Amino acid sequence: MAVFVALGAFLMTLAGGWTAQRVTDRRHLVLGLAGGLMLGVVGLDLLPEALHAARREVFGVPAALLLFVAGFLLAHLVERTLAARQAAHGGAEGHNHRAPEVGLTAAAAMVGHSAMDGVAIGAAFQVGSGMGTAVALAVIAHDFADGFNTFTITSLYGNARRRAIAMLVADACAPLVGALSTAFFHIPEAVLGGYLGLFAGVLLYLAAAEILPEAHHEHPARSTLLCTVAGAAFIWLVVGLSGG
């Protein structure tokens, strides 16, 4: 049953990526929406789950929040390192010269997160069909945003369309793999919480430092801002309908 439900996540992820491809003539709106979706996922979905799962504190601060900051700094370090390496090899470091490796790394993180979504579906169905259905609905609903963001962020960093599609397909398949894996192992809740905190920090960096500035660089329009707000509101709606 868990694998069957994960097929819905597979299709929804592909639908999100297909939508991102079809609206390339409105690139600023796509990026504005992607930034809002990522902001909503971080603040309304990932961080609350991370804090709930990883209750341990380190020197007075929740471990999940420490890993959240670490994820943000890690993403910044990786991008700066790759950009400096590109500049050293004759590439111009600037607004339109991002390291493609950063996009692939970010997309790979999205794939890993989608695999964890599949694990969540499988684990929930082990608890009971009611719990499994609730988790599955939440995962399927936000996998549209995952597919949309995976294709968008891979393309944003200058990767060829075929690479973006390959990462999209990998992201779509990941929930199936994750759901299947629950038949063989179980991830401790504290470890899952730490992972969610780290991943949230990476996503926030990409949204705030890369995607949203790019969205408003050439088209600082009200419509772009509205798309960002709509993206965050959509995640709020998904979280609310899924019961948090």
Side-chain angles (χ1 to χ4, degrees):
M1 183 62 181
V3 175
F4 177 76
V5 171
L7 283 172
F10 170 84
L11 295 174
M12 190 64 79
T13 302
L14 290 181
W18 180 84
T19 301
Q21 293 181 62
R22 300 294 294 179
V23 291
T24 51
D25 57 330
R26 294 288 185 270
R27 185 169 179 268
H28 59 293
L29 299 180
V30 172
L31 294 175
L33 179 62
L37 290 171
M38 293 172 75
L39 176 61
V41 166
V42 169
L44 307 178
D45 187 14
L46 294 180
L47 274 183
E49 286 293 331
L51 289 169
H52 175 74
R55 298 182 179 90
R56 180 187 174 193
E57 290 191 354
V58 179
F59 204 62
V61 178
L65 291 184
L66 287 175
L67 286 167
F68 168 71
V69 174
F72 189 97
L73 294 175
L74 178 63
H76 179 59
L77 176 64
V78 169
E79 186 192 33
R80 290 296 88 201
T81 300
L82 291 175
R85 182 184 302 171
Q86 185 183 46
H89 286 80
E93 182 182 357
H95 180 74
N96 293 319
H97 293 84
R98 293 186 170 90
E101 295 88 349
V102 174
L104 291 176
T105 301
M110 298 291 292
V111 173
H113 176 61
S114 293
M116 296 302 294
D117 282 345
V119 171
I121 292 175
F125 271 103
Q126 290 179 2
V127 173
S129 59
M131 174 68 73
T133 300
V135 171
L137 288 175
V139 168
I140 290 173
H142 91 248
D143 270 353
F144 179 88
D146 284 352
F148 190 98
N149 289 334
T150 298
F151 184 87
T152 300
I153 204 166
T154 307
S155 302
L156 176 64
Y157 280 85
N159 288 285
R161 185 172 180 271
R162 60 182 177 79
R163 284 189 175 181
I165 292 176
M167 296 308 297
L168 173 63
V169 171
D171 190 43
C173 293
L176 292 169
V177 176
L180 282 170
S181 71
T182 56
F184 305 102
F185 70 90
H186 172 72
I187 298 178
E189 188 177 24
V191 174
L192 180 60
Y195 158 77
L196 291 176
L198 186 73
F199 182 64
V202 172
L203 278 191
L204 183 63
Y205 177 82
L206 295 172
E210 298 296 329
I211 290 182
L212 290 177
E214 178 73 10
H216 292 276
H217 176 65
E218 295 180 358
H219 298 275
R222 184 179 302 173
S223 57
T224 307
L225 178 60
L226 290 176
C227 282
T228 302
V229 174
F234 172 75
I235 298 300
W236 185 15
L237 177 65
V238 169
V239 171
L241 290 177
S242 66

